[in-house]
Amino acid sequence: MKFLIDNWYLVLAALVSGGMLLWTSLGRAAQGSALSTAEAVRLINREKAVLIDVCEPAEFAAGHVAGARNIPLSTLEGHKSLPSNKALPIVVLCQSGARAAKAAGMLRAMGYEKAAPLAGGLKAWREANLPVEKAGT
């Protein structure tokens, strides 16, 4: 007990450090494990992840990730373009990431346990200088 009293500042530093680690862990869990662009590219290249863009058709036509399937959020449930293999990783994206997070939750509820949103959406993808295409190109 004398050690704790004599070294209160070390105990305080340990508690603050542990609290900060816990806070970041809880923040990631609440975020729904959003993927960075690097993690998404790794999943696409190594694990054959399927890209699903939940933007509306007009937004998708204006620009989308190369190879992405367009399934608007409003039509997601039971859509025929969803992969039949529910074990495949799915990267869900939209313009900013907000709709993608909701869609990833819906997909996980449908049995696609490896569905995850792309953090920052198409905006982050473009900022990382990754390939984007427009409809008809």
Side-chain angles (χ1 to χ4, degrees):
M1 188 57 134
K2 182 174 174 11
F3 175 81
L4 294 177
I5 294 171
D6 289 344
N7 297 296
W8 64 269
Y9 53 90
L10 293 175
V11 174
L12 180 65
L15 289 173
V16 169
S17 173
M20 289 171 50
L21 285 172
L22 182 63
W23 181 260
T24 55
S25 296
L26 291 175
R28 283 190 183 189
Q31 204 179 57
S33 302
L35 301 170
S36 68
T37 53
E39 292 168 320
V41 168
R42 183 190 61 75
L43 282 173
I44 294 163
N45 291 335
R46 293 189 182 162
E47 299 184 35
K48 308 289 186 227
V50 177
L51 281 165
I52 295 180
D53 190 321
V54 294
C55 291
E56 293 302 315
E59 293 173 298
F60 185 79
H64 57 272
V65 173
R69 299 177 188 180
N70 182 223
I71 306 174
L73 181 60
S74 60
T75 65
L76 186 63
E77 201 152 338
H79 199 279
K80 63 180 176 9
S81 294
L82 289 172
S84 57
N85 182 357
K86 292 188 176 188
L88 279 175
I90 297 178
V91 178
V92 188
L93 63 134
C94 64
Q95 294 295 319
S96 65
R99 287 177 284 181
K102 183 176 180 181
M106 291 171 62
L107 287 166
R108 283 191 297 272
M110 289 187 276
Y112 295 94
E113 293 182 17
K114 293 183 180 179
L118 178 66
L122 184 62
K123 183 177 183 248
W125 190 266
R126 283 187 168 138
E127 287 172 359
N129 292 319
L130 292 166
V132 175
E133 59 188 19
K134 292 183 181 184
T137 58

